[in-house]
Amino acid sequence: MVAPRALGVLLLLHLAPDEGDSTRRDEKPRNVCQGSANMNLYEDFDLNRTAGCFSKCTHSQEELCHLGNLQRYWLNFETYLVERSQMDTLNTSFLTALVKSINTSVSEDLYFSLTPSQVPKQMTKDEHQHPDRVRLPKSLFGSLKSSRPMVRLGIVVLDIGPGNVFKGSLLSREDGSSVLNNRMVALTLGHIKVTKLAEPLEITFSHQYQPPNMNLSCEFWDATKGDWSSKGCSTEVGVRRTVCRCDHLTFFALLLRPTLDEATVKALIHISQAGCGTSMIFLAFTIVLYTVLRFSRQRFKSEDAPKIHVSLSISLFLLNLAFFINVGQRLKGSDAACWARGAIFHYFLLCAFTWMSLEAFHLYLLVIKVFNTYFSHYFLKLSLVGWVLPALIVIGTGIANSYGPYSIRDEKNVTTLELCWFREKIALYVTVHGYCLIVFLFSAAVLSLVSWKIFTLSSATAGKEKGQHWKGVLTLLGLSCLVGLPWGLALLTSLGPFTAYVFALFTSLQGVFIFCWFIILYCPSQSTVTSSSGTARVDHAHTVSQE
């Protein structure tokens, strides 16, 4: 009985699963994005698995990631590549690298291409104008000549994707800040630490035109504080390329960030609120004055120019009112209320732009075309364009669900302003920036033709009346407010805070300028107005519509 019993035990032991196998079967796969599983493992399999964390580690999944470990993994990789790897080149979908032995007695600067998706390669002096490149000064290697004849140089181009691994505290997707093209460039000599170079290295990044109010800055990843820093680096921004000059070797990138800090934003808001409040008062005066003149002067019932002026005044009054409500309430209320405030603000902004362009169109008919400018129901047709066209654009934008919370952040990623506006930037660029640009170009073209007419007329009558040129200049200044040329300053706000201040001042006071123009034109006696030749000719010639 002993033998069969022993045989049964052996059989059970043989059929039972191995304890180690059971443990391995039940063990959950380690989370690579915690950074500890693959630390210092740089085979192709490990690199690809860890690179997946660039897209996985977002705000919604950040608790599954250890950003510090992942950052150290890639910072250590460049040293591993130079000191321990046998590879001279590496080419993957997320990383390209070149390792090259350099003689420290080089007699000229070295240039390497940094073309995306291509392995970096050394270029000759004649090829150094490559759009993306790095220049390493010969003095960098000369300073090492006394200690070693050769050094190994590693150049790594890393695509960090849309996640948060190398975002730090300076970058936020909500305000549009980012690492340009999600690309970092690493330069290393392995364990040789290179700092405080007598002649800085240069990295040239090519790029498209950048949006206004955004700043390009050269930064490096500071491993000691786990964030971006610009210490030791300077930035030379060009139209299509930017040159970074730094005095050390490490991971570099070109950051795209908002230019306005909190103090500037608050100052601009205060200027805009004060200007808009003043404009609303004067725009109300303009509307009341027109109403009084319409009942007291018969010609106001038939002239179209005053009707267009007051329509522009009404649209600007409502725009300023919507601005006060939107900025004053910030993001209070429900999502539907925020959506509605953004849509209303957008509608009155487009109405103001549209009536400015209609002012320019009417000016063109009066001064340039002159003859055969009769249209039946002329003002009615202008009104349909001025009030209905913006409504159609807002309806289309609303169907695309483009309205919602909008925030402006400073360079430290601190929110400086919150309001209900656009949450889809493409819709903002098309329906606001693009629309404003079209209106500005059209108005500028018309005003250029009008100025040519005015100064031609002034030259012809120069012997009869003095001061014609000054009257022409004042006329053009008044007309520029009507057709919205001050809004063209928005195109220059990327040049710095000063242009932003000028833009906020002139656009918020547009109502004051319109009121002054209205007073000068319609309050003096007819004889006084006629004596100003240029001004009277421009605005008192009118197109009568058949109502």
Side-chain angles (χ1 to χ4, degrees):
M1 295 296 293
V2 177
R5 186 177 299 173
L7 183 61
V9 172
L10 291 173
L11 182 61
L12 289 174
L13 289 174
H14 177 73
L15 295 176
D18 180 74
E19 183 177 353
D21 291 342
S22 175
T23 302
R24 284 192 294 270
R25 190 179 300 123
D26 295 337
E27 182 183 3
K28 294 181 180 179
R30 294 183 180 181
N31 181 6
V32 176
C33 295
Q34 287 294 328
S36 56
N38 282 7
M39 190 61 71
N40 299 324
L41 299 178
Y42 296 112
E43 299 299 326
D44 291 345
F45 176 74
D46 301 308
L47 283 173
N48 279 279
R49 291 181 69 201
T50 310
C53 301
F54 286 137
S55 57
K56 292 178 182 177
C57 294
T58 59
H59 284 299
S60 60
Q61 300 292 328
E62 195 164 301
E63 68 279 0
L64 302 177
C65 304
H66 193 296
L67 300 183
N69 285 343
L70 292 172
Q71 292 158 6
R72 282 191 293 273
Y73 178 87
W74 293 106
L75 293 174
N76 292 339
F77 171 70
E78 61 168 354
T79 303
Y80 164 84
L81 197 63
V82 171
E83 298 290 344
R84 298 173 56 189
S85 175
Q86 301 300 315
M87 296 180 294
D88 292 331
T89 61
L90 186 61
N91 189 3
T92 69
S93 59
F94 58 89
L95 182 148
T96 58
L98 169 70
V99 179
K100 188 176 181 63
S101 296
I102 305 294
N103 191 319
T104 55
S105 299
V106 291
S107 58
E108 57 184 15
D109 297 343
L110 301 183
Y111 296 89
F112 296 87
S113 67
L114 299 175
T115 305
S117 74
Q118 293 184 9
V119 175
K121 64 177 181 179
Q122 188 172 359
M123 302 182 296
T124 63
K125 186 175 182 179
D126 296 334
E127 298 174 318
H128 77 275
Q129 292 303 318
H130 196 278
D132 292 88
R133 62 185 182 271
V134 60
R135 179 188 71 84
L136 298 175
K138 61 182 180 181
S139 58
L140 184 160
F141 304 100
S143 62
L144 304 172
K145 185 167 52 176
S146 59
S147 59
R148 60 196 72 202
M150 301 288 292
V151 292
R152 278 171 62 84
L153 169 69
I155 302 176
V156 179
V157 180
L158 181 63
D159 185 344
I160 62 173
N164 298 329
V165 176
F166 279 102
K167 290 300 185 284
S169 64
L170 299 182
L171 302 179
S172 169
R173 296 183 64 184
E174 285 76 8
D175 66 352
S177 60
S178 63
V179 174
L180 190 71
N181 299 324
N182 294 324
R183 191 156 55 106
M184 294 174 61
V185 175
L187 302 170
T188 182
L189 296 180
H191 290 306
I192 303 174
K193 189 175 181 180
V194 178
T195 59
K196 298 182 180 180
L197 292 172
E199 183 181 359
L201 61 91
E202 290 183 359
I203 304 176
T204 302
F205 295 93
S206 64
H207 50 75
Q208 300 299 317
Y209 297 102
Q210 297 305 316
N213 299 326
M214 300 299 284
N215 177 52
L216 286 170
S217 63
C218 298
E219 311 265 350
F220 71 94
W221 186 261
D222 189 341
T224 58
K225 62 179 183 178
D227 208 346
W228 294 102
S229 174
S230 59
K231 185 178 180 180
C233 293
S234 65
T235 307
E236 181 184 327
V237 180
V239 177
R240 302 296 295 272
R241 62 181 61 180
T242 295
V243 179
C244 299
R245 296 182 177 90
C246 298
D247 65 357
H248 56 285
L249 301 184
T250 184
F251 270 92
F252 301 97
L254 192 59
L255 304 192
L256 180 63
R257 294 183 293 167
T259 57
L260 300 181
D261 57 20
E262 184 176 7
T264 302
V265 171
K266 287 183 177 179
L268 291 174
I269 291 174
H270 292 155
I271 292 174
S272 298
Q273 288 177 330
C276 289
T278 306
S279 277
M280 288 179 68
I281 296 173
F282 281 89
L283 289 168
F285 287 162
T286 304
I287 297 169
V288 171
L289 179 61
Y290 169 79
T291 304
V292 172
L293 292 176
R294 183 176 173 84
F295 285 103
S296 61
R297 296 187 185 181
Q298 186 63 30
R299 67 182 180 86
F300 265 76
K301 296 181 179 180
S302 58
E303 286 189 3
D304 291 313
K307 297 178 184 178
I308 298 173
H309 297 341
V310 81
S311 296
L312 174 59
S313 299
I314 292 172
S315 67
L316 286 173
F317 181 89
L318 295 174
L319 173 61
N320 290 329
L321 180 61
F323 172 78
F324 268 109
I325 295 174
N326 204 357
V327 174
Q329 293 188 3
R330 299 291 179 92
L331 295 181
K332 297 179 181 179
S334 63
D335 292 340
C338 186
W339 186 98
R341 291 207 306 271
I344 291 172
F345 187 40
H346 186 208
Y347 172 71
F348 289 128
L349 180 64
L350 294 181
C351 286
F353 285 159
T354 306
W355 278 108
M356 292 173 201
S357 64
L358 293 176
E359 286 274 13
F361 174 72
H362 185 70
L363 190 62
Y364 170 78
L365 295 182
L366 297 185
V367 181
I368 308 302
K369 200 168 187 299
V370 181
F371 300 106
N372 300 322
T373 57
Y374 174 79
F375 298 98
S376 62
H377 304 291
Y378 176 66
F379 182 70
L380 177 61
K381 293 176 180 178
L382 293 184
S383 298
L384 289 175
V385 175
W387 301 110
V388 176
L389 177 60
L392 296 177
I393 297 175
V394 170
I395 290 172
T397 307
I399 292 175
N401 198 26
S402 299
Y403 301 116
Y406 181 87
S407 61
I408 296 176
R409 300 173 184 266
D410 62 14
E411 295 183 352
K412 296 181 179 179
N413 200 28
V414 177
T415 300
T416 56
L417 177 64
E418 290 181 329
L419 70 161
C420 297
W421 189 221
F422 280 84
R423 60 183 177 189
E424 294 293 338
K425 291 201 171 184
I426 295 178
L428 174 64
Y429 294 148
V430 173
T431 64
V432 177
H433 297 174
Y435 200 85
C436 176
L437 180 61
I438 293 172
V439 170
F440 173 75
L441 293 176
F442 175 67
S443 299
V446 171
L447 202 62
S448 298
L449 295 174
V450 171
S451 63
W452 175 75
K453 279 276 188 179
I454 289 176
F455 288 112
T456 300
L457 178 64
S458 299
S459 300
T461 59
K464 301 178 182 179
E465 186 175 347
K466 295 182 180 180
Q468 288 295 319
H469 285 287
W470 279 110
K471 292 178 180 178
V473 170
L474 294 176
T475 299
L476 290 175
L477 290 176
L479 292 174
S480 66
C481 294
L482 288 181
V483 300
L485 283 191
W487 288 86
L489 292 171
L491 304 174
L492 303 177
T493 53
S494 60
L495 299 179
F498 176 75
T499 53
Y501 284 117
V502 175
F503 169 76
L505 180 64
F506 277 90
T507 53
S508 61
L509 291 177
Q510 189 176 6
V512 179
F513 301 143
I514 292 176
F515 174 76
C516 296
W517 175 261
F518 203 88
I519 290 290
I520 292 172
L521 284 180
Y522 299 114
C523 285
S525 63
Q526 183 66 28
S527 59
T528 304
V529 174
T530 305
S531 67
S532 64
S533 136
T535 306
R537 172 69 187 87
V538 167
D539 208 79
H540 282 283
H542 59 274
T543 302
V544 179
S545 61
Q546 181 179 352
E547 302 291 348

